Amino acid sequence: MRPSKHSPFTPLTKSRLNGSLSSLPALAMDADGIAHDVRRYFCRTLGRDTSCNNTHYPYTALAMAVRDRLMERWQNTQRAYQETDSKRTYYISLEFLMGRALGNSVLNLDMGDAVEQGLYELGLVLEEIAESEPDAGLGNGGLGRLAACFLDSCATLQLPVNGYGIRYEYGMFRQTIQDGHQVEEPDHWLRNGNPWEVERPEFTQRVRFGGYTEIMPRWAGKMDVHWLETNDVLAVPYDVPIPGYKNDTVNTLRLWKAAATDEFNLDEFNAGSYTESVETKNAAEHITMVLYPNDASESGKELRLRQQYFLASASLQDVFRRWKLNHGNDFSNFAEKNCFQLNDTHPSIAVAELMRLLVDHESLGWDMAWEITKNTMAYTNHTLLPEALERWPVRLFKHLLPRPLEIIYEINARFLAEVANRWPGDTGRQQRMSIIEEGSDPQVRMAYLAIAGSFSVNGVAALHSKLLQQGLFHDFYQLWPEKFNNKTNGVTQRRWLAACNPPLRTLLSSTIGEEWIADLSQLQKLTNHRDDREFRHKWILAKQQNKERLAQLVLRECSVQFNIDALFDVQVKRVHEYKRQLLNLLHVIHLYARIKAGDTTSWTPRCVLFGGKAAPGYLQAKLIIKLINNVAHVVNNDPAVGDLLKVAFLPDYRVSAMEVICPGTDLSEQISTAGKEASGTGNMKFMMNGALTIGTLDGANIEIREEVGADNFFLFGLTAEEVHEMQERYNPEAIIHADPNLSRVMNLLEKSHFNQQEPGLFDPIINSIRNPHDPWMVAADFTSYLEAQEQATRLYQDHEAWVTSSIINCASSGRFSTDRTIYEYNHNIWRLKPVPSLPL
Ligand code: 26Q
C-alpha cells in the first residue's frame, strides 16, 4: 500500500527495534517456562481468573505461548532466506485444509513432554484443551489437505516455499444430519479469534476488476495498454507460521482477505450516498467471505472467478514487491529465482496476470515476458473427469477481467500458430487445442492456459499421469512431451501418524527409534519385528486403544455402539458417485440380508462407518447419504442383527475427525471406479496406521498394492482399461440377473424396505444402478467386491495373519510420505537449495 500521511505504515529510520530482536533471549522450552507463560497470558493478556470454567481461554493462552516460540524461529528463518537471496517456490492454492495447529506445532517444536508437564502443573490436560481449537477448514478435501501436508514437508526439508491462499471468513460448511438428510450450516471459524495468524496490513496489495482498456502511444511507435476505470479491491495479508519438524525452520502461509479501498468509499460518500458506499465495501469484502463447497468445478459463478483472480494478482504483486527490494527493475533472472506451483487450474489465471504485470507494469517486451512466464509456472492436475475441467465464459471474463482476457487471446494466437506450424493444415487439432473453445457461448479452457504457460505439468499418481498423457491432454503431450511428469501424492507422517496415534507412535519409536518421524522409509525396519511376540502383543493393544477411542466418537456423534472386537470397516471421503459409497452400502445390505436369512455360520461381526460431505447442489450424492442413514437405522434397530453388524454415518467429517478415525480402522475402503480417482490420500493415512485396504486398481491404490504386495491388499473390480472398453456393452440388468446376491439386494431396495414411509424416495439410486449408461458401473464390480470382502472376513478371523498384514501395511508405507513427494517436486521441478534457519 502506498504510505500516505494518514497511514501508520510510514518508514521507520532510527529505531533499533528490528536489529535488537536477535539479542532477545530465546524463550524457555521447559515445563516451568511454558507453565509460567500460559498463566501470564491467561491472567494478564486474556484477563481471566479461577472463575473461568471453559477450555477456550486455557487453549488460547497455551496457543499464545507456543506462538511466541514459533515467532523467534519464524523471523530467523525469513532472515536466512533474505540474506541468502535464495530461489523460492510459491504454492498457490484456493484451498489449504490445515485442520488444527496446536498439536502439530507442539510436535514439530518438540515441546510435547514440556507442554504436558507444564499443563499438569496447572491442573490441565493437553488432549482436553486442544479440543477447543476449531479446524481451519479452508478446503474441500484431498486437494486442500495435500496443500497443507506439502507445507509441513517443505518446512521439514528446510525449503524456501511460501503458500499463498485465501483467508475465507467461512470455511467448509458444517454438516449435520437431520432425519437422515445432510443439512449445511455456516462455519464461522474465526468467531473466537485466531491465535495462529498475524495480520500484515503494511503489505496490502490492490487488485483491479472491471473497467475497460485503451491503447495509448508510448514512444518510438511503441504502444501501452491502459486498464482504466477499474473497481479496485484491497488484499490484506494474514500470515500463518508453518513449523518444520525439530529444525527451527518456520515457513509462511500467506492468506489474503479482501477489503474495500478508502477512496472508493470516499467518492461515494462525497456524492452523498453513504449507504451505497457501505454497500461497495460489502461487495469488496464478499470476495473472501466463503469457500465454494464443490470438489468438482462449479461452472460460471462470477464470485469464484473473482476469488481466483484476487488470489493470483495479490500473490504475484507481493512477489514483485519483494523482488524489487532486492533486484530493482531488472527481471532478467526472475525465472531462475522464482517458481509458482499452481494447485490445479484454480489459480491458473496467474499465467495471464504474470504476463500483464511484466508487459504492462514493467514494460517488458512480449517475448521476454513469455519466456519468463513459461519458465516460472508449473501446473498440477488433480482430476481425470473431463466434466470437471474448469472453463469460464468469455463474456464473464470480458466483463470482469478485460485486460487479462486480451492477454489470453494473444497467448492463444501465438500458441495456435505454434500448433499450425507443427501440424500444418490440421484445423481440427487447432480447434481441439485452442485455449478459447468456440461456440455460441465461447469459453476459456483454464487447463489449456495452464499447460501452455507452464514448463511442468504433473499428475498425482502413476496411473493418473499416464491417463492424462494418453487421454485428456494427449494433444499437448504430443506437442510438449518433456513438460509432462508424475508426482505421486503423499501425506505427512507428523500429523497422520506421530500426532494422531500416540499408542502406535510410542511402540514404533521404542522398537525402531524415532527417525521415522523425519524419514518414513525407516518403517521398513518393522518387518524384522513382525514375528516378535511382545511386539505383536503391543501392536494389538495399540489398535484396541485406538478402536476404543473411535467407538467413543461414534457413540457420542451417532448414538451407535461399536464393539471393538468387530472388524472396523471405514469409508470416509467426499460423497461422490465415482467414489462409490453406494457399492459399499450394497455390501452392507447384502450382509443384512444374510443375517435375516440365518446365513451366519462363522460370522465375523462388522462395524461399518461412513463419513463425508456432499456438495450442497449435488442431489444424487445427498440422496446416497440419506440411504446410508436409512439403512443404518433399519440394521441397528433390528434385534435379529444385534452385534453382528452395525452401521453409522459420522456427521461433519473433517481433518480432526480423521485424526481419530484412521488410527482405529481395520479395513480401508478405496473403491472408486477404476480410472476416476486421480490419487486418493486417505488411503495412505489408513495404511500408515496399519489398516488393510480393499480397493480397485485406481489412483495411488496401485502403488500402495505394489508396496505391500498382492497378499496384503484386497483387490477387486475392473481395470481402467476394462471400464473403458466395457462402457459400450454394459448390461447391468444381466449382471443383476446372474448374481443372486445382487438380485436379493436390489429386491430389498425396490420393495422400499429402507423407506417404508416414503416409497419411491430412492428410485433415482435404483435407476442409476440399472442404467446401462451408469458411468460408475456399480453393478459391474459388485460380485468381485463381495469376494474381496469375504477374503477380508476370513483373514480377520485368522487374527494372527491379520496382525502380520497390518504390520506389513504400516512398514511398507514409507513411499507415501509427502517428504518423498516434495523431494521429487524439488528435485525435478523447483530445484531449490535447502536453507537452514539462523541460530536462535
Ligand atoms: C473449481 C471451480 C469452481 C468451484 C470449485 C472447484 C473445485 C474445488 C475443489 C474443483 C475441485 C476441487 C477439489 C478437487 C480434489 O480434491 N481433488 C482430489 O485431489 C486429491 C489430491 O491430489 C486426489 O488425491 C484426489 O484423487 C482428487 O479427487
Side-chain angles (χ1 to χ4, degrees):
M1 195 161 70
R2 303 167 196 90
S4 75
K5 65 178 176 216
H6 304 295
S7 167
F9 305 112
T10 46
L12 191 59
T13 45
K14 284 198 291 289
S15 156
R16 275 193 302 276
L17 264 178
N18 305 301
S20 64
L21 277 175
S22 54
S23 61
L24 278 177
L27 293 169
M29 299 296 278
D30 64 319
D32 288 346
I34 292 161
H36 177 269
D37 284 6
V38 171
R39 286 187 61 174
R40 186 165 47 80
Y41 278 118
F42 184 78
C43 304
R44 303 270 163 77
T45 305
L46 301 171
R48 307 293 134 167
D49 60 21
T50 46
S51 69
C52 172
N53 64 354
N54 59 53
T55 53
H56 170 71
Y57 294 104
Y59 154 72
T60 306
L62 175 60
M64 292 166 111
V66 172
R67 187 181 69 176
D68 287 347
R69 280 136 182 100
L70 285 169
M71 206 63 85
E72 323 173 85
R73 292 162 178 81
W74 202 357
Q75 283 161 340
N76 286 350
T77 303
Q78 299 313 311
R79 274 197 16 223
Y81 292 164
Q82 168 70 26
E83 283 169 12
T84 52
D85 191 26
S86 311
K87 179 178 184 182
R88 299 196 198 209
T89 288
Y90 308 95
Y91 198 81
I92 311 194
S93 177
L94 272 282
E95 307 190 7
F96 285 91
L97 190 43
M98 304 298 287
R100 291 175 177 155
L102 178 60
N104 185 246
S105 300
V106 167
L107 173 74
N108 281 11
L109 293 178
D110 196 21
M111 295 170 69
D113 293 342
V115 165
E116 284 193 8
Q117 220 202 307
L119 290 180
Y120 179 79
E121 290 171 20
L122 303 172
L124 297 167
V125 179
L126 177 57
E127 230 194 57
E128 278 173 30
I129 69 173
E131 286 290 308
S132 271
E133 181 175 0
D135 278 35
L138 308 185
N140 274 284
L143 166 151
R145 183 54 230 177
L146 185 74
C149 285
F150 277 7
L151 294 183
D152 181 79
S153 285
C154 288
T156 295
L157 297 176
Q158 301 198 300
L159 299 175
V161 174
N162 291 16
Y164 275 116
I166 291 182
R167 182 181 178 273
Y168 299 106
E169 210 78 34
Y170 293 87
M172 188 61 200
F173 67 79
R174 294 215 314 253
Q175 178 195 55
T176 64
I177 300 297
Q178 289 171 27
D179 187 30
H181 293 279
Q182 166 174 303
V183 174
E184 300 94 25
E185 286 172 2
D187 165 46
H188 197 182
W189 70 293
L190 293 166
R191 179 172 299 150
N192 300 315
N194 176 12
W196 304 108
E197 65 182 14
V198 178
E199 186 182 356
R200 287 295 181 85
E202 67 273 31
F203 299 137
T204 296
Q205 301 295 333
R206 175 180 287 259
V207 178
R208 313 212 255 180
F209 290 99
Y212 59 92
T213 64
E214 233 173 57
I215 301 179
M216 293 180 191
R218 198 198 318 168
W219 47 269
K222 296 221 178 202
M223 294 295 180
D224 272 342
V225 178
H226 292 244
W227 187 2
L228 303 167
E229 298 284 327
T230 50
N231 291 316
D232 299 356
V233 175
L234 298 180
V236 183
Y238 287 70
D239 288 355
V240 180
I242 309 292
Y245 178 69
K246 286 204 214 175
N247 63 8
D248 289 339
T249 286
V250 180
N251 281 346
T252 304
L253 167 61
R254 178 159 285 181
L255 301 176
W256 299 101
K257 172 193 163 94
T261 59
D262 292 343
E263 73 280 359
F264 205 80
N265 287 341
L266 264 181
D267 287 350
E268 300 248 8
F269 188 75
N270 291 338
S273 45
Y274 172 75
T275 44
E276 278 84 346
S277 91
V278 174
E279 260 171 46
T280 57
K281 180 174 157 64
N282 259 325
E285 290 174 0
H286 257 139
I287 293 178
T288 53
M289 198 57 73
V290 60
L291 166 78
Y292 274 87
N294 312 297
D295 64 342
S297 83
E298 169 160 337
S299 52
K301 287 279 191 302
E302 177 177 327
L303 186 60
R304 171 74 181 186
L305 184 57
R306 274 186 197 271
Q307 290 181 338
Q308 296 183 347
Y309 182 68
F310 174 81
L311 169 62
S313 182
S315 306
L316 289 174
Q317 291 186 65
D318 194 44
V319 171
F320 272 43
R321 174 190 60 77
R322 209 178 309 115
W323 179 261
K324 288 178 167 195
L325 284 179
N326 299 320
H327 302 265
N329 292 330
D330 178 8
F331 281 81
S332 53
N333 67 341
F334 186 81
E336 283 89 84
K337 292 276 190 179
N338 296 282
C339 181
F340 297 97
Q341 190 72 44
L342 306 175
N343 201 16
D344 215 299
T345 52
H346 314 157
S348 61
I349 184 66
V351 168
E353 179 65 0
L354 181 55
M355 286 300 289
R356 189 186 71 83
L357 292 174
L358 291 171
V359 171
D360 292 0
H361 287 200
E362 307 304 331
S363 307
L364 266 65
W366 182 277
D367 291 332
M368 183 170 173
W370 185 239
E371 218 36 54
I372 291 174
T373 301
K374 267 194 314 181
N375 289 314
T376 312
M377 296 281 167
Y379 157 55
T380 305
N381 171 284
H382 297 264
T383 185
L384 279 159
L385 308 183
E387 66 270 26
L389 284 189
E390 257 192 306
R391 302 171 333 148
W392 290 105
V394 167
R395 62 189 151 75
L396 183 61
F397 243 97
K398 193 171 206 138
H399 159 76
L400 205 63
L401 304 168
R403 181 56 185 150
L405 179 63
E406 286 175 359
I407 289 172
I408 291 172
Y409 273 126
E410 184 65 30
I411 291 171
N412 194 36
R414 291 168 185 246
F415 163 64
L416 289 179
E418 197 176 333
V419 174
N421 187 42
R422 168 77 193 270
W423 290 284
D426 192 344
T427 52
R429 192 185 285 264
Q430 286 177 45
Q431 236 176 53
R432 280 202 313 269
M433 295 181 76
S434 175
I435 296 170
I436 307 294
E437 179 182 332
E438 298 299 344
S440 58
D441 189 16
Q443 309 276 324
V444 185
R445 295 162 162 160
M446 301 308 282
Y448 295 2
L449 175 65
I451 297 172
S454 298
F455 65 93
S456 167
V457 178
N458 76 280
V460 290
L463 174 71
H464 171 229
S465 298
K466 186 184 98 177
L467 293 176
L468 286 181
Q469 294 168 22
Q470 294 177 349
L472 218 48
F473 298 150
H474 184 66
D475 290 327
F476 289 86
Y477 179 63
Q478 285 188 317
L479 182 59
W480 295 311
E482 69 284 356
K483 287 192 188 188
F484 286 77
N485 64 93
N486 172 247
K487 295 287 169 284
T488 297
N489 282 168
V491 303
T492 169
Q493 71 270 28
R494 264 83 59 191
R495 181 176 294 263
W496 296 112
L497 186 50
C500 75
N501 195 339
L504 194 55
R505 175 196 176 170
T506 306
L507 175 58
L508 295 176
S509 294
S510 67
T511 309
I512 59 168
E514 284 200 336
E515 286 84 71
W516 60 273
I517 303 178
D519 172 11
L520 200 64
S521 67
Q522 296 291 323
L523 289 183
Q524 200 53 248
K525 291 183 180 160
L526 290 174
T527 44
N528 302 331
H529 301 268
R530 61 186 236 196
D531 299 322
D532 175 338
R533 277 200 42 189
E534 197 178 314
F535 174 74
R536 293 172 64 86
H537 178 67
K538 289 180 180 165
W539 187 274
I540 295 167
L541 283 182
K543 183 55 86 179
Q544 282 174 343
Q545 282 182 48
N546 290 323
K547 288 175 79 170
E548 190 59 58
R549 189 155 72 118
L550 175 52
Q552 281 168 19
L553 176 75
V554 171
L555 182 61
R556 199 164 61 237
E557 301 293 324
C558 318
S559 308
V560 177
Q561 184 74 250
F562 276 12
N563 180 338
I564 67 156
D565 295 330
L567 192 170
F568 278 20
D569 172 357
V570 178
Q571 186 174 24
V572 287
K573 51 184 76 235
R574 290 299 292 256
V575 181
H576 208 294
E577 287 164 284
Y578 84 78
K579 295 177 188 282
R580 296 199 297 193
Q581 281 89 358
L582 182 55
L583 180 59
N584 186 350
L585 194 66
L586 295 183
H587 173 245
V588 170
I589 297 172
H590 163 74
L591 292 179
Y592 168 75
R594 274 185 59 189
I595 295 169
K596 297 299 277 181
D599 174 15
T600 57
T601 38
S602 71
W603 186 265
T604 301
R606 273 199 198 227
C607 297
V608 185
L609 183 65
F610 292 87
K613 293 171 184 177
Y618 189 173
L619 298 185
Q620 189 79 348
K622 290 177 126 176
L623 195 58
I624 290 170
I625 291 177
K626 171 67 173 159
L627 180 56
I628 294 170
N629 281 304
N630 279 25
V631 170
H633 183 79
V634 169
V635 169
N636 298 336
N637 292 294
D638 188 330
V641 176
D643 257 2
L644 297 181
L645 180 62
K646 291 282 178 212
V647 187
F649 186 94
L650 183 81
D652 203 31
Y653 174 60
R654 60 198 187 282
V655 171
S656 60
M658 185 57 158
E659 289 167 4
V660 181
I661 294 166
C662 67
T665 295
D666 293 312
L667 184 63
S668 151
E669 299 271 351
Q670 307 300 337
I671 61 178
S672 51
T673 313
K676 306 296 177 191
E677 187 72 273
S679 163
T681 46
N683 47 4
M684 301 168 185
K685 296 165 197 166
F686 285 116
M687 175 200 200
M688 219 171 257
N689 285 277
L692 281 64
T693 304
I694 182 166
T696 49
L697 286 176
D698 201 15
N701 293 353
I702 296 173
E703 290 155 81
I704 287 178
R705 181 165 170 270
E706 265 167 29
E707 296 294 314
V708 298
D711 292 345
N712 298 295
F713 186 106
F714 304 109
L715 179 70
F716 75 95
L718 301 175
T719 64
E721 265 184 352
E722 288 164 347
V723 166
H724 188 75
E725 68 140 29
M726 193 175 178
Q727 223 115 39
E728 300 296 292
R729 48 182 185 83
Y730 180 45
N731 186 350
E733 293 298 339
I735 294 169
I736 294 166
H737 189 76
D739 184 334
N741 290 315
L742 184 52
S743 304
R744 182 167 63 175
V745 168
M746 291 305 289
N747 187 254
L748 280 170
L749 285 170
E750 279 161 353
K751 66 173 215 259
S752 299
H753 189 79
F754 305 102
N755 51 315
Q756 296 187 0
Q757 313 304 317
E758 295 172 277
L761 179 64
F762 297 121
D763 287 358
I765 291 177
I766 295 163
N767 294 337
S768 77
I769 300 170
R770 291 197 178 275
N771 183 349
H773 302 293
D774 171 19
W776 323 118
M777 309 241 243
V778 172
D781 281 347
F782 179 84
T783 311
S784 114
Y785 181 52
L786 224 72
E787 278 167 25
Q789 287 287 15
E790 275 158 18
Q791 275 178 40
T793 302
R794 282 196 296 277
L795 195 68
Y796 196 75
Q797 284 172 345
D798 181 359
H799 208 70
E800 290 300 326
W802 184 278
V803 170
T804 301
S805 194
S806 167
I807 295 168
I808 291 171
N809 264 271
C810 174
S812 318
S813 65
R815 180 172 162 67
F816 304 106
S817 167
T818 36
D819 297 345
R820 188 271 312 152
T821 311
I822 289 300
Y823 174 85
E824 291 178 1
Y825 272 90
N826 191 45
H827 193 74
N828 304 323
I829 305 177
W830 306 339
R831 312 280 305 157
L832 307 172
K833 284 200 259 314
V835 180
S837 185
L838 297 176
L840 277 173

